[in-house]
């Protein structure tokens, strides 16, 4: 797997800032193989996973993958217990319940992603079934948080767009003209901003309430209890595929290499920086890159036992991209509400445009922080 913090010919011209959190990447050439054609390049293959605490001889499903899955299963069960404790009627710790839900989703995503990437090393029927159920659970639990965050984002954006602050201009006359023009625009926006905010609050609060009810219903269902039982079994026993016991590095490196190659291909296929803005048709490709980056991150955690900070910034940028896309869509959907006042529709239109600008900004940050420059310059 490629490690972006190494000095190689695939390193970008602008390095990610150190200490930007956890992201994941891996020891590239142990997964990806030599660079294409190899023209003019030295063999920069790193020493391998031994430097990260997994000697090559110990890189087996029993020594690496099984303990990782058992650990994530234990985290899942611990988070579930904390969620039950803080969600009890006598308990007022709503913040603690939300934190437990996030931890529950985090473990579910890592188990599901690892089952997807390393399916060949596991019992395939068991892996497919548990992965789909964990994806269902994570999706159900994510919606309430997503609607709450979307409402906060949109209301804050409306406040900034219609607030009293004016841009600075050089010279008294220029300042006065700019202030008058800007004030007129803000006044027109302010007429509908309050109603637009109220409309968004009604719509998204209703969606959040329904999502909360759906999450509670899911957590009390027989389907969820079956998932919890399956994860409890995983915490003590990982069903490996026949013939994988005792296999060495290729049992894990080969599927992790495929996950990395899919990510690199998806990033190389992203629309260029000078492509048409406000093009919602491009969003799907960026969402796909975000999901593939997540799978690559989890594979890195399995193989090297830790996260690499070099993908933290670009991963965060893709998260912000997703949030801005969904916020823009929510503003557009609210603007299609029947019989709303023209001023309200205008405010929602300005809000939609603002969030699409945020989409473009997130894409720019991703391009600046992506560690593999070759993937972004591929034809």
């Amino acid at each position: 797997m490629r490690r972006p913090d190494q000095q190689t010919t695939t390193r970008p011209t602008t390095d990610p800032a150190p200490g930007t959190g956890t992201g994941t990447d891996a020891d590239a050439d142990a997964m990806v193989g030599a660079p294409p054609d190899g023209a003019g390049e030295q063999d920069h293959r790193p020493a391998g996973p031994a430097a990260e605490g997994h000697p090559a001889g110990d890189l087996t499903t029993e020594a690496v993958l099984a303990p990782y899955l058992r650990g994530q299963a234990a985290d899942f069960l611990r988070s579930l217990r904390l969620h039950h404790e803080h969600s009890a009627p006598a308990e007022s710790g709503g913040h603690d319940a939300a934190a437990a839900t996030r931890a529950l989703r985090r473990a579910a995503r890592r188990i599901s992603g690892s089952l997807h990437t390393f399916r060949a090393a596991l019992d395939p029927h068991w892996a497919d079934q548990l992965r789909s159920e964990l994806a269902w659970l994570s999706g159900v639990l994510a919606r309430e948080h997503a609607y709450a965050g979307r409402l906060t984002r949109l209301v804050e954006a409306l406040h900034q767009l219609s607030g009293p602050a004016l841009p600075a201009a050089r010279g008294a006359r220029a300042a006065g003209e700019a202030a008058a023009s800007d004030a007129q625009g803000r006044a027109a926006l302010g007429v509908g901003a309050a109603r637009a905010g109220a409309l968004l609050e009604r719509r998204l609060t209703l969606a959040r309430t329904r999502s909360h009810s759906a999450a509670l219903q899911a957590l009390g269902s027989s389907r969820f209890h079956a998932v919890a039982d399956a994860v409890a079994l995983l915490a003590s026993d990982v069903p490996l595929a026949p013939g994988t016991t005792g296999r060495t590095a290729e049992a894990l490196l080969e599927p992790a290499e495929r996950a990395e190659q899919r990510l690199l291909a998806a990033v190389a296929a992203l629309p260029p920086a000078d492509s048409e803005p406000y093009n919602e048709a491009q969003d799907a490709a960026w969402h796909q890159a975000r999901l593939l980056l997540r799978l690559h991150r989890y594979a890195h955690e399995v193989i090297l036992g830790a996260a690499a900070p070099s993908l933290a910034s670009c991963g965060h940028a893709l998260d912000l991209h997703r949030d801005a896309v969904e916020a823009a869509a929510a503003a557009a959907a609210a603007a299609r509400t029947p019989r709303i006042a023209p001023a309200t529709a205008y405010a929602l239109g300005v809000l939609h445009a603002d969030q699409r600008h945020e989409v473009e900004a997130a894409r720019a940050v991703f391009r600046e922080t992506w560690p593999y420059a070759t993937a972004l310059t591929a034809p």
Side-chain angles (χ1 to χ4, degrees):
M1 297 177 74
R2 184 175 287 107
R3 183 180 297 145
D5 53 355
Q6 286 196 309
Q7 293 290 342
T8 72
T9 56
T10 60
R11 188 164 177 81
T13 55
T14 302
D15 295 340
T20 52
T22 59
T24 48
D25 184 22
D27 213 336
D29 292 306
M31 277 196 169
V32 186
D37 300 328
E41 298 198 23
Q42 299 295 323
D43 183 4
H44 56 271
R45 183 167 302 186
E52 302 288 342
H54 289 313
D58 291 340
L59 195 62
T60 64
T61 53
E62 302 99 312
V64 176
L65 179 59
Y68 178 85
L69 289 174
R70 287 197 296 267
Q72 294 300 326
D75 287 346
F76 180 98
L77 297 173
R78 188 180 305 112
S79 302
L80 180 59
R81 176 177 55 81
L82 291 174
H83 184 275
H84 286 329
E85 291 177 357
H86 295 298
S87 298
E91 180 65 46
S92 59
H95 176 75
D96 293 333
T101 300
R102 288 193 298 270
L104 188 67
R105 289 175 47 223
R106 178 184 182 276
R109 289 196 306 267
R110 278 163 170 76
I111 296 172
S112 179
S114 299
L115 296 181
H116 174 81
T117 299
F118 301 104
R119 179 179 183 272
L122 301 162
D123 180 312
H125 176 72
W126 167 83
D128 291 344
Q129 186 174 18
L130 181 56
R131 178 170 63 88
S132 64
E133 292 302 281
L134 288 172
W136 160 75
L137 176 63
S138 181
V140 169
L141 296 180
R143 292 189 189 106
E144 179 184 0
H145 173 74
Y147 283 123
R150 201 168 304 154
L151 176 60
T152 299
R153 180 187 185 96
L154 289 170
V155 170
E156 289 179 352
L158 268 177
H159 177 72
Q160 292 173 1
L161 290 168
S162 61
L166 297 175
R170 292 186 299 175
R173 181 175 179 179
E177 292 175 352
S181 174
D182 202 62
Q184 290 175 358
R186 287 183 179 275
L189 177 60
V191 171
R195 291 183 178 179
L199 175 60
L200 288 169
E201 185 166 4
R202 287 196 302 272
R203 290 171 61 92
L204 293 176
T205 299
L206 177 60
R208 180 186 179 185
T209 301
R210 289 174 174 172
S211 298
H212 179 73
S213 299
L216 292 179
Q217 185 177 3
L219 291 173
S221 67
S222 59
R223 183 178 183 181
F224 169 74
H225 288 298
V227 175
D229 289 344
V231 175
L233 291 175
L234 176 62
S236 59
D237 179 38
V238 178
L240 300 176
T244 58
T245 303
R247 287 180 63 190
T248 52
E250 72 275 6
L252 299 180
L253 289 178
E254 289 177 0
E257 175 187 349
R258 290 192 292 271
E260 183 177 70
Q261 288 296 334
R262 287 193 294 269
L263 169 63
L264 295 177
V267 172
L270 289 174
D274 58 355
S275 61
E276 180 184 0
Y278 298 102
N279 189 345
E280 283 87 352
Q282 297 177 355
D283 294 340
W286 288 87
H287 294 331
Q288 178 69 5
R290 176 178 173 272
L291 295 176
L292 292 174
L293 176 59
R294 175 177 286 177
L295 290 176
H296 175 53
R297 290 173 54 197
Y298 299 161
H300 179 280
E301 291 180 3
V302 172
I303 299 297
L304 297 182
S310 34
L311 286 182
S313 295
C314 56
H316 182 59
L318 290 180
D319 288 341
L320 291 178
H321 178 275
R322 185 269 320 271
D323 294 344
V325 166
E326 294 180 346
R336 292 192 293 269
T337 302
R339 297 183 298 279
I340 61 173
T344 305
Y346 171 74
L348 291 169
V350 172
L351 183 60
H352 174 267
D354 173 74
Q355 291 304 300
R356 291 305 303 183
H357 281 302
E358 293 295 320
V359 169
E360 296 300 322
R363 292 178 181 180
V365 172
F366 175 82
R367 292 186 179 100
E368 292 170 0
T369 57
W370 176 245
Y372 308 139
T374 53
L376 287 177
T377 57

